Amino acid sequence: MPEEPSYAPATRLVGLGRPARTPGAPAGPGIELSSTYVAGDGPAYGRFTNRTWEALEQVLGDLEGGAALTFSSGMAAVSACLELTPQGGTVVLPEHVYNGSSSLVDQLAQSGRVVPRRIDPTDTAAVIAALEGADLVWLESPTNPMLEVADLPAILSAARELSVVSVVDNTFNTPLLARPLQLGADVVVHSVTKFLAGHSDVVLGALVTSSGTLHDRLHSHRTLHGAIPGPHEAWLALRGMRTLHLRLERSCANAERLAERLAGHPAVAQVRYPGFGAIVCIELVGGRSAAEAVEQTVRLWLPATSLGGVESSLERRRRHAAEPQSVPEELLRLSVGVEDVEDLWRDLDAALRSH
Ligand SMILES: *Cc1c(COP(=O)(O)O)cnc(C)c1O
């Protein structure tokens, strides 16, 4: 793709991260399988860098507006970010953050590595007050699975003023719906596993930062802790990302339609949908047993954890012991895929009415 800053995100998703256009060059990057390289300039060893990762990092970094680093999983990326906290430092995080990130903070807290300070991300004044004396603030907006939305511009600018390192997990939004670095975040985290890769066939993570100092620290963390992606996984993720804009457009349109209809459904007590994105949560009138029955009755929707695939899936989040008690037992999280919306509705409606 020619260097052209005016190209829209859709064009950049398709065109970046490709080999130079010389006669006979392939259209896309190969899967570079090499643990070592001929000594001299350029790559030296397969734990330091890899050209397949670099192609993916170029596309994701460009879209978020920083430099990206891929990791072996979203959690490897989360863990690398938390290492930015000094020994015994305070981490401000929402009550309903992704439960893997929350559990890792709790585990680090047990050994005194960090001190968690949990907040309600919708109470902006309380979040800003909690930043006083803190070292790092962790944000998700919307949160998983309660879909609470934070005032990111206000919180991120307060964090910057107080020199608190800010990290935004942008997995639910992707850079097409939110670009936290532009709002002042220091680091963006992705579970590439979800919408970015998009086909439920790869586990991968990434970090993006516009600070050279943070990039060097995080790169060094990846190299020394060794949480590197496999070249196959990076290639699959980049291939998936080429159609992110198309998948997300359809998923979001489907989610909006379903959220509207679910709001009037007799089996549904409450719909949580922030008005954007492809995740919708519903709380059932019939409680936990009704939610479990829906998981077992759907035929088209996949009853499974994870999200962001082309296929629609759903899950009662409280089936995981790590999920906080404040998440209702009867809450089902729906990850809306790209199927025909009428087929999705019929299947869900039938499952909701069957008991
Ligand atoms: C899945 C997920 C993660 C963890 O990513 P993995 O790729 O499963 O390690 C982190 N944050 C959010 C919001 C997620 O949904």
Side-chain angles (χ1 to χ4, degrees):
M1 191 182 98
E3 276 306 318
E4 183 71 71
S6 67
Y7 283 140
T11 310
R12 308 181 79 80
L13 269 171
V14 173
L16 289 172
R18 294 185 183 272
R21 281 192 193 182
T22 51
I31 304 176
E32 184 166 276
L33 297 170
S34 191
S35 63
T36 192
Y37 296 84
V38 178
D41 288 342
Y45 185 58
R47 182 159 40 76
F48 305 163
T49 193
N50 168 285
R51 276 179 281 241
T52 314
W53 310 346
E54 286 172 5
L56 171 61
E57 288 167 352
Q58 195 198 342
V59 179
L60 182 59
D62 177 89
L63 282 166
E64 289 284 9
L69 288 164
T70 47
F71 284 76
S72 52
S73 66
M75 282 311 298
V78 168
S79 170
C81 272
L82 288 172
E83 283 291 319
L84 296 172
T85 317
Q87 176 60 31
T90 296
V91 176
V92 175
L93 76 165
E95 184 65 33
H96 300 117
V97 77
Y98 170 68
N99 74 28
S101 310
S102 183
S103 300
L104 180 55
V105 168
D106 285 341
Q107 203 180 75
L108 293 170
Q110 270 163 27
S111 62
R113 175 68 185 82
V114 303
V115 177
R117 195 178 276 172
R118 286 194 156 76
I119 42 91
D120 169 1
T122 64
D123 186 346
T124 308
V127 179
I128 292 173
L131 295 177
E132 201 68 54
D135 297 280
L136 186 140
V137 57
W138 193 273
L139 294 162
E140 279 178 19
S141 182
T143 57
N144 181 6
M146 300 295 269
L147 304 182
E148 297 136 330
V149 175
D151 182 348
L152 287 185
I155 297 169
L156 291 171
S157 79
R160 193 146 280 256
E161 260 167 46
L162 295 165
S163 301
V164 177
V165 173
S166 56
V167 181
V168 178
D169 185 332
N170 205 27
T171 300
F172 274 30
N173 291 325
T174 86
L176 297 183
L177 298 185
R179 297 179 79 214
L181 296 181
Q182 271 57 47
L183 303 175
D186 290 307
V187 186
V188 161
V189 182
H190 278 286
S191 170
V192 178
T193 313
K194 315 291 168 54
F195 292 101
L196 296 180
H199 295 74
S200 306
D201 51 9
V202 59
V203 173
L204 203 79
L207 297 177
V208 193
T209 176
S210 49
S211 146
T213 312
L214 288 177
H215 183 270
D216 290 349
R217 279 177 72 183
L218 294 164
H219 185 235
S220 161
H221 178 98
R222 183 180 72 179
T223 300
L224 296 177
H225 289 250
I228 55 166
H232 264 116
E233 282 75 7
W235 188 89
L236 275 169
L238 177 56
R239 184 188 159 112
M241 272 177 69
R242 299 294 187 200
T243 55
L244 173 65
H245 51 302
L246 302 175
R247 291 184 284 104
L248 200 65
E249 195 178 297
R250 172 64 82 88
S251 283
C252 292
N254 283 354
E256 211 177 316
R257 188 87 63 85
L258 293 176
E260 274 163 26
R261 292 191 192 173
L262 286 163
H265 200 287
V268 175
Q270 193 185 340
V271 177
R272 291 176 185 271
Y273 183 63
F276 59 92
I279 308 294
V280 180
C281 292
I282 54 176
E283 291 163 35
L284 302 194
V285 172
R288 171 182 172 162
S289 61
E292 284 171 337
V294 169
E295 286 184 301
Q296 280 156 24
T297 316
V298 281
R299 295 170 65 224
L300 177 59
W301 291 73
L302 183 73
T305 197
S306 197
L307 54 97
V310 285
E311 72 290 344
S312 295
S313 62
L314 53 76
E315 180 183 38
R316 193 180 74 84
R317 284 300 286 176
R318 280 293 298 281
R319 77 191 180 94
H320 301 286
E323 205 65 32
Q325 309 239 320
S326 47
V327 173
E329 288 273 12
E330 65 275 18
L331 181 141
L332 282 174
R333 187 185 68 192
L334 316 182
S335 171
V336 183
V338 302
E339 302 93 335
D340 183 275
V341 70
E342 298 304 330
D343 288 337
L344 290 174
W345 172 251
R346 270 194 298 277
D347 189 51
L348 190 57
D349 178 48
L352 287 167
R353 285 178 196 279
S354 64
H355 35 262

